[in-house]
Amino acid sequence: SKAMSRDLALIRYCEPRFGLYFLMLHRLQVLKRTLKAVIHSSAYRAMQYEDDEEAVIIDDSAFWDYNELVVKATWPLLQLVRLGDERKTPTLHRVYKYAKLTKRRLAEAKDDDLSAHVLEAFEHYERHLCSDIVKAASIVDVGTWARGNLEDVNECKEKLSDYITKFAEQYEEPDGFVEKAEEQMLSYLNNEGVYATEAVLGKA
C-alpha cells in the first residue's frame, strides 16, 4: 500500500490550513487506486465492517468522476490565490497564465453548478487579473517560456513595449531610456530558443 501511494497519506482536517478542502479532494484523487485496492483486499473484507459508508463512497464511480471534475476545475484557481498570498518572491509574472487556465478549466466544467458559480465570481475580477501590466509581466516568466505554454505571446509582447514607454513618461526617464529598454527587451525575447534547454527546463 505504501509503495502504491508513494508514502502519501490522507490529509486530515485542521483549522489554519489554506485551501484545505481542495487539498483534501486532490489527495483523495491521487490515492484513488490505493484506496480502491484496500477496500477490495481480502484482509479488509475479512473485517466485515457494518455500515461501511467509506467503502461505498470509495467504490462509487460517480463520486470519483465528480471529485476529478472539481479538482481539475478549481486547482488553477487555488494556485492563483496562492500567488496573491506569496510575500517572499515576486509572482506577478505567473498571474496571467493561471488566470487564463482558471477560466478555461471552469468553462469546461460549466455544466457543474459549483464550477458555474465559481466562474461567475472569477469573471468579476478577470479584468484585474488580466490587466495590461499583468500581461506585460507574463513575458518574463522563464519557466513558462521553457515549457512553451505562454499565453497570448504577441499581445503580451506589445503590452510590455507599451509599459516601457509609459514608465519612461511617468518617471521622466532621460532621453534614450526607451530605446535602450526596447533593445534589451528584444535581446531577451530573441533568446526564446535558449529557454528550451535542459538546464532551464530542469529549473522550471
Side-chain angles (χ1 to χ4, degrees):
S1 176
K2 279 192 174 182
M4 293 178 66
S5 64
R6 294 172 293 181
D7 294 332
L8 293 177
L10 295 176
I11 296 177
R12 297 178 181 275
Y13 178 81
C14 61
E15 286 293 341
R17 190 70 181 267
F18 175 76
L20 176 67
Y21 294 114
F22 293 111
L23 293 172
M24 291 170 68
L25 292 176
H26 179 265
R27 181 60 59 83
L28 275 174
Q29 200 68 32
V30 171
L31 295 176
K32 174 183 174 181
R33 291 179 59 187
T34 301
L35 292 170
K36 290 178 76 71
V38 168
I39 65 168
H40 288 291
S41 68
S42 56
Y44 186 88
R45 289 181 178 277
M47 295 179 184
Q48 298 182 341
Y49 292 110
E50 293 184 11
D51 299 324
D52 194 352
E53 295 180 0
E54 290 82 1
V56 172
I57 293 173
I58 291 170
D59 212 27
D60 185 355
S61 59
F63 165 78
W64 290 111
D65 289 345
Y66 186 71
N67 189 61
E68 182 178 3
L69 184 150
V70 171
V71 170
K72 283 186 175 180
T74 56
W75 193 255
L77 181 60
L78 183 62
Q79 301 306 310
L80 188 59
V81 174
R82 279 178 161 173
L83 292 178
D85 196 47
E86 174 61 51
R87 293 292 180 269
K88 294 182 180 179
T89 57
T91 59
L92 184 63
H93 59 291
R94 298 172 62 196
V95 169
Y96 189 62
K97 176 180 73 175
Y98 277 109
K100 296 284 286 188
L101 182 57
T102 294
K103 185 169 184 178
R104 277 201 301 272
R105 291 281 183 86
L106 292 172
E108 289 169 359
K110 62 184 178 182
D111 292 335
D112 168 56
D113 288 340
L114 173 62
S115 300
H117 287 306
V118 176
L119 177 59
E120 183 179 356
F122 171 82
E123 289 176 339
H124 180 73
Y125 299 97
E126 186 178 8
R127 66 186 182 91
H128 301 291
L129 295 168
C130 300
S131 64
D132 289 350
I133 184 61
V134 174
K135 291 178 181 178
S138 71
I139 291 296
V140 300
D141 183 359
V142 177
T144 305
W145 271 116
R147 297 185 182 93
N149 56 5
L150 277 177
E151 299 281 352
D152 305 324
V153 179
N154 291 332
E155 181 184 0
C156 292
K157 287 180 179 179
E158 292 178 5
K159 297 301 181 184
L160 180 56
S161 182
D162 292 343
Y163 174 74
I164 291 172
T165 302
K166 292 176 181 177
F167 180 92
E169 293 174 354
Q170 181 177 352
Y171 293 98
E172 300 179 347
E173 295 293 340
D175 293 341
F177 173 85
V178 172
E179 290 75 13
K180 184 176 181 180
E182 289 274 4
E183 182 181 339
Q184 291 177 340
M185 180 188 75
L186 290 174
S187 175
Y188 170 81
L189 295 177
N190 287 335
N191 283 324
E192 293 175 21
V194 177
Y195 303 136
T197 62
E198 288 188 17
V200 177
L201 283 170
K203 291 182 179 179

